[in-house]
Amino acid sequence: MRKRRQGTRREPTIALINIVFLMLVFFMVAGTLSTPLDKDVTLVRTAELEGRAPPDTLVVHENGRMTYRGNDIASAEAFLQARPEDGREVVRIVPDAALSATVLVDLARALRAAGAQRVVLVTERGLE
């Protein structure tokens, strides 16, 4: 009787390559689904802040002009009225980097007074 030779098992690298390729395709598709922000807004930079980019935000430009989904908004009350009833609990603001802090604080206070329970600032994550 002959001894059976112990064969070396090869690792299934093709399966690993397929999984990595599918993940690449998934993230390419998922990354293109979000709508871009206004081109004339420069985001505030922060480092090591956890958060997510929400689809419905109030964009505040450098001069204090506010837009929501591309339309100009006159006041915090008008912004809350333009949102659906269930979207008034948490309000997200995308401020321009050159926006005055006092204007931003006044806007946050006006949103809270108009019925927003929580005001969140959306910023650009720092890469440092």
Side-chain angles (χ1 to χ4, degrees), residues 11-39:
E11 293 184 28
T13 55
I14 297 296
L16 181 62
I17 291 170
N18 288 341
I19 290 172
V20 171
F21 178 75
L22 287 174
M23 288 175 58
L24 174 67
V25 170
F26 171 77
F27 286 115
M28 286 173 50
V29 170
T32 59
L33 294 179
S34 62
T35 56
L37 295 174
D38 291 343
K39 291 181 181 181

Side-chain angles (χ1 to χ4, degrees), residues 17-93:
I17 291 170
N18 288 341
I19 290 172
V20 171
F21 178 75
L22 287 174
M23 288 175 58
L24 174 67
V25 170
F26 171 77
F27 286 115
M28 286 173 50
V29 170
T32 59
L33 294 179
S34 62
T35 56
L37 295 174
D38 291 343
K39 291 181 181 181
D40 57 342
V41 173
T42 306
L43 296 178
V44 177
R45 293 182 178 263
T46 59
E48 299 188 22
L49 180 68
E50 290 186 26
R52 59 188 164 95
D56 291 334
T57 58
L58 175 64
V59 178
V60 185
H61 298 266
E62 178 182 4
N63 58 1
R65 183 174 63 94
M66 297 181 287
T67 58
Y68 174 61
R69 295 184 176 177
N71 300 322
D72 286 339
I73 298 293
S75 65
E77 294 82 16
F79 169 68
L80 287 178
Q81 289 174 357
R83 292 178 56 109
E85 196 65 38
D86 59 345
R88 298 180 185 182
E89 206 170 277
V90 178
V91 174
R92 290 176 174 82
I93 302 174

